[in-house]
Amino acid sequence: MKLQHILYASALALLSSAAFTACTDDVKVGDSFVEKAPGGTVTIDTVFNSAEYTRQFLTGLYGMQYYGLPFSNASGVPTSQNSYQGKLDGLTDIYQIHWNGTAIFNSYYSNTLSANNDPLISFLNDKVWMAVRQAYLLLENIDRVPDLSEAEKQSIIAQAKCLIVARYFDLFSVYGGLPIVDKAYTGLEGDYSNLHRSTIAETVDYMVNLLDEAIPNLRWAWDGNTTADDAFNNTGRWTAAGAMALKAKILLFAASPLYNADQGYYGGTSQAEQDKLVWYGDFQQSRWERAEKACRDFFAANGESDPTSITLGTAGKFYQLTQPTERSADAYRQAYRMGYIYQGSKEVIHSTRVATVYGSQGTYAWWNWVGIGRNSYCPTVEYVEMFPWSSGEPFEWDEANNQMKAPTYALINSSNQVLEADGQLFYSPVRKSGRRTIQKYAIRDPRLYENAIVNGQQITLDWTTGKSSGDIYELWTGGYHAGQSIAKTTGEIVEQLTFKFSTGFGTIKYYLGEEYHRKFMHWVYLSYDEMLLMWAETLAQTGNYAGALNCVNRVRARVGLDPMEKFQPELSSNKDKLIEEILRERACELGMSNNRYYDMIRYKRTDWMCKELHGLKITRLQNVMGEYVENFNAYQGDDKDNGVAEPDHFKYEKFTLQNRRRVMWDLDPNSNEVKKWFLFPLPVTEMNKGYGIVQNPGW
């Protein structure tokens, strides 16, 4: 029986054939451990006979965490970092990928993925079992290490346990119950009967128990309180806050309808369902209560006296939302952006990073390929419509008349001027003395402009002040940036492949300017705004609607939006509508973070999976002799040079995305052919090893 991926072989090689450079006596960690360098070999005795080598070994474990932005074109592990695979976000209703070089385009949209393929997060090839094996090697040998204080030893043990749980959750969220590895196997034990696939309950308890053991031995945050360089050197290490947030996320997932239901999602007849590997076997309200308590415990530990209130907590609170410096769309955008991207942000609870740089000077393919369109996760019309007006009033499209519904509440700018939407989707020109000027104001939720590039959005951002200026993105057909990304031929509107703006919108989340070139870009694994929205969901699920609304409204207030119940009073008493609005808010706040995918499968939203998605064809209109006519020319160039006013009249046409049309759009959302997609297939090769890996339903 050969169980190399989850037991021993890959990690065993690290200590049997690894080496260090004799002249520097520097132990190699992570992938470098498998290199055969001159100067001798590294054994367990070598590594764990030195406090410094042990610290380096721990650092190597951090390098095997999940990183959510594909940045590598190389084959091999980790699968999730390979740009030829794709991001989970591209499987949802908020993004559409148009590059036929990805697995998303070829295997998922075509509905041809099988158990012989590697899913976007691989059971075998994402370094999960390597990380788990090495973490247990550390746990089993830490007592041998000299020159470690008891406090540091307990901290290392706690960090290793968090690293194990994080890797387990990465698989649990897309596969369900997992084999419980609780030691560093050598491959010589002979009996692996306990490595069968465990139930959902066993897998959840295993993860939560490890976190509960770790939390007391971790500091709350790396805030620079002990030495000047604490935050710089330790940003990204697991903390008590990170462990408590991860515990809450695990319990939220476990309480959700996918796993916590009266019937298995595939009908209850599959072996995986009967063995309770993909659900608990029943519904219990107590699971939501357990998740709510985990959220409450986090906020209490963060020093917030009344965390369900819209007011901030006590002065000693560390984690918090980044706040705007003024009431303006630019300031709201800056606060939102720096909240997730700034490595010193008190909004980031846990983050991961890779050893490469951001920008065209390095190998950071996310930037390079988004820039040329191959890696563009183009936002859909369905996503853009989730973002409300700048007042917070829900945006609605009048399907009957093919036009937007005007907001009932006035739009207010930073100078308290009342604006009119004026038939625009994104910006409103301001009339002065009867004349239209180029001064304009954003009329939608500021988060829209940070999750999608939209027509008329200014290109230049001052990363210090947050001010936007200069030329605009021209996303109309024939515009400087869109070109022929969307063309009308023989009456049918069709988007083009590998164009940045194939849906009428472009990617901007994590796609940053020169200011972030040549810097280490972190991936936000857990964040404060996500915690607020998780707590909102668990409060709603346990009947505390007022508390849920307060949590959501804290997130909305940061970008200048009024409370949700101002526009939808029924949210104060209607649980289903409130949950739906929380899920929409999560999409607006947490774009490009995998959370829309998690929400889709957690709530078994086959309607999202089978929903036909759309792009937006934008046509520039120009006033000629008092009549608006179509103009397919760019503005930058002759028009701008000749003093023509910036275009502010457009025609909008929704069209169904065709390149590539997802097969699932034409399937019955209630069919098992669709429901099987709630969890990924386990690899046939692993099932054939005979140690108890049962396939997920439908695969």
Side-chain angles (χ1 to χ4, degrees), residues 515-573:
E515 293 79 4
Y516 279 84
H517 279 204
R518 297 168 294 281
K519 294 186 180 180
F520 296 99
M521 178 57 60
H522 66 198
W523 161 259
V524 178
Y525 193 81
L526 293 162
S527 61
Y528 185 82
D529 53 348
E530 182 185 357
M531 279 301 304
L532 281 169
L533 293 173
M534 285 199 293
W535 199 11
E537 183 182 342
T538 59
L539 286 166
Q541 288 286 4
T542 53
N544 188 343
Y545 304 153
L549 285 166
N550 280 332
C551 286
V552 177
N553 289 334
R554 283 179 65 182
V555 175
R556 288 165 60 93
R558 185 257 293 273
V559 289
L561 305 182
D562 288 340
M564 287 199 299
E565 62 271 28
K566 175 178 180 179
F567 310 102
Q568 302 177 80
E570 68 274 15
L571 297 181
S572 298
S573 58

Side-chain angles (χ1 to χ4, degrees), residues 49-312:
N49 194 40
S50 164
E52 184 58 34
Y53 288 175
T54 300
R55 295 183 189 108
Q56 292 183 33
F57 190 86
L58 175 65
T59 301
L61 294 181
Y62 275 95
M64 287 183 273
Q65 294 178 105
Y66 176 78
Y67 185 83
L69 299 177
F71 74 96
S72 172
N73 301 344
S75 60
V77 296
T79 295
S80 60
Q81 292 177 11
N82 190 335
S83 298
Y84 287 91
Q85 289 288 321
K87 282 180 55 60
L88 294 173
D89 306 270
L91 304 180
T92 70
D93 58 343
I94 65 176
Y95 297 104
Q96 178 84 347
I97 195 166
H98 287 87
W99 180 39
N100 59 11
T102 61
I104 286 181
F105 190 99
N106 290 313
S107 298
Y108 289 82
Y109 290 174
S110 64
N111 201 23
T112 59
L113 184 78
S114 75
N116 292 311
N117 306 126
D118 248 350
L120 301 186
I121 297 181
S122 172
F123 183 82
L124 298 180
N125 295 318
D126 257 294
K127 293 190 176 182
V128 171
W129 304 113
M130 182 184 291
V132 170
R133 184 2 167 106
Q134 290 201 46
Y136 274 109
L137 278 175
L138 179 56
L139 294 175
E140 292 167 8
N141 289 278
I142 189 71
D143 286 333
R144 302 169 55 183
V145 183
D147 304 323
L148 278 181
S149 68
E150 183 62 23
E152 184 178 6
K153 183 176 78 170
Q154 293 304 320
S155 174
I156 290 174
I157 291 171
Q159 291 177 64
K161 289 179 178 179
C162 290
L163 288 161
I164 292 170
V165 175
R167 296 290 18 213
Y168 257 81
F169 176 73
D170 296 334
L171 295 189
F172 170 77
S173 61
V174 293
Y175 290 101
L178 302 167
I180 301 300
V181 177
D182 57 4
K183 66 178 182 179
Y185 286 86
T186 66
L188 303 176
E189 289 80 4
D191 180 13
Y192 302 110
S193 58
N194 63 321
L195 284 174
H196 59 274
R197 190 177 175 192
S198 299
T199 66
I200 290 293
E202 291 168 339
T203 306
V204 169
D205 288 345
Y206 170 72
M207 293 187 288
V208 170
N209 289 340
L210 282 177
L211 291 174
D212 283 343
E213 293 169 4
I215 289 167
N217 295 308
L218 294 167
R219 60 184 292 170
W220 181 245
W222 290 103
D223 53 10
N225 281 343
T226 56
T227 62
D229 63 351
D230 265 356
F232 177 77
N233 286 335
N234 293 289
T235 297
R237 289 193 179 272
W238 279 97
T239 60
M244 293 183 75
L246 181 55
K247 175 181 175 179
K249 190 164 186 172
I250 291 168
L251 293 176
L252 173 84
F253 220 107
S256 299
L258 176 66
Y259 294 148
N260 185 24
D262 289 327
Q263 182 173 319
Y265 66 81
Y266 206 71
T269 59
S270 69
Q271 183 181 347
E273 289 171 304
Q274 293 177 350
D275 293 346
K276 300 180 182 178
L277 308 179
V278 294
W279 69 316
Y280 272 103
D282 61 8
F283 169 80
Q284 292 185 21
Q285 180 65 16
S286 60
R287 294 184 185 118
W288 280 115
E289 294 167 357
R290 188 184 183 193
E292 190 277 327
K293 183 180 183 302
C295 292
R296 183 179 295 272
D297 289 345
F298 169 87
F299 285 100
N302 196 42
E304 300 190 71
S305 57
D306 184 12
T308 56
S309 169
I310 198 169
T311 59
L312 297 178

Side-chain angles (χ1 to χ4, degrees), residues 6 29 31 43 47 70 94 164 305 307 313 334 389 642 698:
I6 71 168
V29 296
D31 292 341
T43 66
V47 173
I94 65 176
I164 292 170
S305 57
Q334 175 81 340
W389 297 102
N642 292 327

